[in-house]
Amino acid sequence: MTVPRVLSLLPDGALSVLPVPELHSLRKEPTCFNNIVVDSGSSGYLGELRGDCLELIAEFELPESRNAEFGLKVRCSSDGREETRIGYRVAEGELIVDRSRSGPDASGISRCGLSLPDGGTLKLHIYLDRSSAEVFGNEGRGVISNRIYPGPDSLGVDLYVSEGRVRLISLEVWKLKSIWNGCAK
């Protein structure tokens, strides 16, 4: 039960797994953010951005701290009790989805090895669809799909870094139209 995907071989011999381009037809109401410096312990970087059916494409510059974890928090509750962290652990070279606060029936941290070149960037392509989070890292070199079960009011989206600071180069966000509009139910 994942979005349809295209598998291809990259020039360096690595396998790439990406969502099919036809999913772009579901995009509506685009929002963009650029050049945001995120400090550990701070929040509120994306203002009133909210949603449970979103496509997000984020590009981050790697932080100076080798011990940092950074990325996006999605499906965040206003009281801070619920959130799903989608990010990267620099020291471990891992793409992660942390579901430890993703609702009553979700737990654990999913990991996927993802090597980044020195001086490189991390690009996350994320699809949120109410109870699913699908993450494609650096052109499909790392992929994680998970179920999450936050409350219906947990709709916030924010940026985070565990230590030091990280720079978000860009973030594009689209709300997603239903695939069922106009279909008999």
Side-chain angles (χ1 to χ4, degrees):
M1 300 293 293
T2 65
V3 297
R5 300 171 180 202
V6 175
L7 282 72
S8 58
L9 200 56
L10 297 171
D12 66 358
L15 179 66
S16 171
V17 180
L18 291 170
V20 296
E22 289 83 357
L23 291 173
H24 296 173
S25 68
L26 300 175
R27 292 174 172 174
K28 64 179 184 176
E29 301 177 36
T31 304
C32 295
F33 300 87
N34 292 294
N35 199 30
I36 298 174
V37 176
V38 181
D39 291 305
S40 64
S42 297
S43 62
Y45 291 98
L46 303 178
E48 296 299 314
L49 181 62
R50 299 172 56 77
D52 61 358
C53 290
L54 301 172
E55 178 183 0
L56 306 99
I57 300 177
E59 187 170 8
F60 291 90
E61 188 175 86
L62 292 181
E64 290 181 14
S65 172
R66 293 276 311 145
N67 296 319
E69 176 186 312
F70 65 93
L72 289 151
K73 297 188 292 186
V74 297
R75 299 299 312 269
C76 303
S77 62
S78 57
D79 64 7
R81 291 185 183 183
E82 288 186 334
E83 67 182 26
T84 299
R85 288 182 180 229
I86 299 170
Y88 188 75
R89 291 183 172 164
V90 178
E92 292 86 354
E94 292 178 331
L95 181 64
I96 62 120
V97 176
D98 183 345
R99 302 179 319 138
S100 58
R101 295 173 46 204
S102 297
D105 295 322
S107 63
I109 300 173
S110 296
R111 298 169 167 83
C112 173
L114 182 62
S115 297
L116 302 179
D118 288 338
T121 62
L122 173 69
K123 186 173 182 181
L124 298 175
H125 191 166
I126 302 165
Y127 279 89
L128 291 179
D129 188 5
R130 292 188 179 80
S131 69
S132 71
E134 300 196 50
V135 182
F136 303 86
N138 277 25
E139 303 306 322
R141 291 175 182 269
V143 178
I144 299 174
S145 295
N146 275 131
R147 296 293 307 267
I148 57 175
Y149 303 100
D153 295 331
S154 295
L155 300 171
V157 180
D158 206 352
L159 303 169
Y160 78 95
V161 63
S162 65
E163 180 177 301
R165 57 178 35 170
V166 67
R167 184 172 77 90
L168 173 77
I169 298 168
S170 65
L171 173 62
E172 297 175 274
V173 182
W174 297 268
K175 292 186 178 180
L176 297 175
K177 296 183 272 189
S178 172
I179 63 168
W180 302 110
N181 290 345
C183 296
K185 294 184 180 181

